[in-house]
Amino acid sequence: MTQSMNDYRLNYLEQLEAESIHIFREAAAQFEKPALLFSGGKDSITMVHLARKAFTPAKIPFPLVHIDTGHNFPEALDFRDKLVTNVSATLIVRKVEDTIRQRKLTEPKGKFPSRNWLQAYTLLDTIEEFRFDCCIGGARRDEEKARAKERIFSVRDEFGQWNPKLQRPELWNIYNGKIHKGENVRVFPISNWTELDIWNYIMKEKIEIPSIYYAHEREVIIHEGQLVAISEYVRPSNGDVVLKKSVRYRTVGDMTCTAAVESEATTTEEVIREIMTTRISERGETRIDDKVTEAAMEDRKKNGYF
Amino acid sequence: MELLRFITAGSVDDGKSTLIGRLLYDSKNILADQLEALEKSTKNRTDGSVDLALLTDGLRAEREQGITIDVAYRYFTTPKRKFIIADAPGHVQYTRNMITGASNANLIIILIDARHGVVEQTRRHSIIASLLKIPHVIVAVNKMDLVNYSQNIFNNILIEYAEVTKQLNLQDVSYIPISALNGDNVVDRSPVIEWYNGKSLLQHLEIVETKNDINLTDARFQVQFVIRPQTEELHDYRGYAGRVISGIYKKGDKVKVLPQDIETTISFLEARGKETDEVFPNQAAVIQLAEDIDISRGDSIVKLNSLPCVSNEFDVLLCWLDDKPLISGNKYLLQHNSRLVRVMIRKLNYKLDVNTLQQREVSGEVGLNEIVSATIKSVSPLVFDRYSDLRENGSAILVDETSNNTVAAVMIQ
């Protein structure tokens, strides 16, 4: 895995890292008010790690923005606050709950009331409040079909909408961030990373991530074959069997729409071994909200989702 | 383990999506739930068997029309390499997507339908590959199953394509007979094509030698961002952050800052957030200089042994990417890596026929997908190399200031 002497070729992780740093610097240089969208998950933590490398010894030259659904894992919130202190970054938190109240939106119902979709409202309000012209996000192209076609610099109109048919061609390593007033650009520095690349990088760089990514005991119910944790947002109903299982999370979204996987992996190495043998993709295994229709992500992206 | 970026090009029905699906599927990079979703959408189409092409057709509009409308990126890994595939559509009207996908590819797979041989699209794609200087070419002769795996047919295509290779001066070309549909010679060597002794497509992708694709002699670095912490203890710190385009920079090296034309010395180097003695191509680096010089984004730091061109008038090949036509005399923004300069198209020299490589007189407008040679004048000087000498210091884009769109791919001649 290490680069061989006097060969001057980067290995794939070094190449991905260099590309991401390059993209971070382009975003910082081309925009007046960029922001990093921080979810608290491993991808955004990796992004903070890369952003630090891009600008050291200076501080990260943009704030971290957390669009808070209010359905967070407490472990992820604690971790977020610790990380922000450690890297002395500026953190901006805006709550979906406040948007729902102010805009008289309808709170999603059901057993798994996902506010994921409503995040777009809060995000667009936040962009307007701070006049952000660039939002740096942690989306990866391997996550989902619709994302495979997204540019690294992706222009959104005033409504935050993505138009897949009108994307700017993106050539060589040249990123065109020119926009009109009111528009903004989503920048995706880790577009070319896969889930496994992220984990290998976490291992190589010894990046700390929230404890819920490693195996731990939790009370869960089984919903359509997926393990959903009991929490103040998800209560068992009649007929649900509450089980105690050793689980870990592959993604950290809302507690209401993120499922756990059974696991005994307590170290990064063990998680990587499990991922390499798993036959189910990250989103497919753990995101309850992507399953609604085949084109679910495409629709949400067009409407201003990250 | 290295990263290899490649692009697949072929005509509409050459089986490109099936090939990519096959590569992902046979190298076990498709997961159970993705396969399940695939089986489901195949069922909707009523034709029965699992259609591997659907794995790569991402957007609903495409699934409805059964075509690919934009470059999609796919990822797969084998124990030997990590691959990024730029899946570019084959339709004539989408040449701009192919150029987008090809711009940073190390390798191109040109698909030829064994039944049809070298067709207009094949030539067009090969010409684009040669214009963009993709270092490695694989000609995959597909649908061998439909010509009874005939060695004769394969050999004839090989002879036919050798002409194209010669005309375009393509380097490192390999030929592989495959059937993407049945998986022959895609991941595993085919037992059916006995007369073929070479490697399978994937085996070839895994061992293509990329060492010589990196230029270690002509040192080029462009400043992307100036790091100034402005804290008490780092009061005078000025770090020039950027990507090493080519060459090796060492601490103590004499360098020249362009276009300012000032000589100085490297006093400190950093890569990956850590101090280091040397930096080399593709690294994201930070350079500190011995003297305090006024340097900003877009300026170049080069070594004295090999100097780039510095000029505000130059000839370029333009591939037009916008629906609105190119108009001679119009002003655009030219973005050359991180340098942004206002330019004017002074003269259109000739139009390049992408089917024959012939130079034709420019009459009328230059529209979408057309390639022209033009003379450009810039407001301030550009520091560049010819595209044919150094791909990444000879490439740029044009931006229309009124729409902000990327309207042309620029290769400096």
Side-chain angles (χ1 to χ4, degrees), chain A residues 92-211:
Chain A
I92 294 168
V93 180
R94 287 295 176 269
K95 293 180 189 294
V96 174
E97 218 168 286
D98 295 336
T99 316
I100 293 175
R101 211 181 40 243
Q102 284 154 14
R103 294 190 171 272
K104 312 253 180 284
L105 304 177
T106 308
E107 178 84 67
K109 298 201 172 60
K111 189 166 176 183
F112 306 104
S114 171
R115 285 176 174 170
N116 226 348
W117 186 77
L118 293 175
Q119 276 179 291
Y121 286 92
T122 315
L123 175 63
L124 295 183
D125 285 350
T126 312
I127 288 172
E128 200 168 303
E129 179 186 351
F130 292 93
R131 307 229 165 273
F132 292 131
D133 49 2
C134 161
C135 292
I136 305 168
R140 307 190 321 261
R141 287 177 180 149
D142 82 317
E143 279 179 277
E144 212 278 334
K145 271 183 176 183
R147 283 192 164 158
K149 311 218 159 179
E150 177 113 38
R151 302 290 189 260
I152 287 172
F153 272 42
S154 179
V155 181
R156 303 303 169 93
D157 64 17
E158 295 147 88
F159 302 98
Q161 292 186 102
W162 178 60
N163 187 343
K165 287 189 182 168
L166 283 180
Q167 298 200 85
R168 292 177 183 170
E170 204 157 68
L171 300 118
W172 296 288
N173 300 299
I174 305 172
Y175 302 104
N176 171 9
K178 286 263 166 234
I179 44 170
H180 296 288
K181 220 176 160 183
E183 293 175 337
N184 65 83
V185 175
R186 303 288 160 82
V187 170
F188 302 109
I190 57 168
S191 286
N192 286 326
W193 298 56
T194 62
E195 182 192 18
L196 194 56
D197 297 335
I198 295 279
W199 277 105
N200 280 325
Y201 190 68
I202 286 171
M203 183 161 80
K204 178 175 169 244
E205 298 283 305
K206 302 188 174 62
I207 300 173
E208 220 186 302
I209 51 173
S211 55

Side-chain angles (χ1 to χ4, degrees), chain B residues 335-374:
Chain B
Q335 190 176 347
H336 173 247
N337 293 316
S338 300
R339 190 176 190 84
L340 202 61
V341 291
R342 189 159 281 125
V343 299
M344 192 178 81
I345 312 290
R346 285 204 54 185
K347 204 169 84 199
L348 297 177
N349 305 316
Y350 59 84
K351 218 178 245 191
L352 194 71
D353 185 325
V354 281
N355 298 315
T356 61
L357 261 194
Q358 272 173 337
Q359 302 180 0
R360 298 180 195 283
E361 206 182 313
V362 188
S363 54
E365 294 176 338
V366 176
L368 180 66
N369 294 321
E370 290 198 293
I371 296 175
V372 288
S373 161

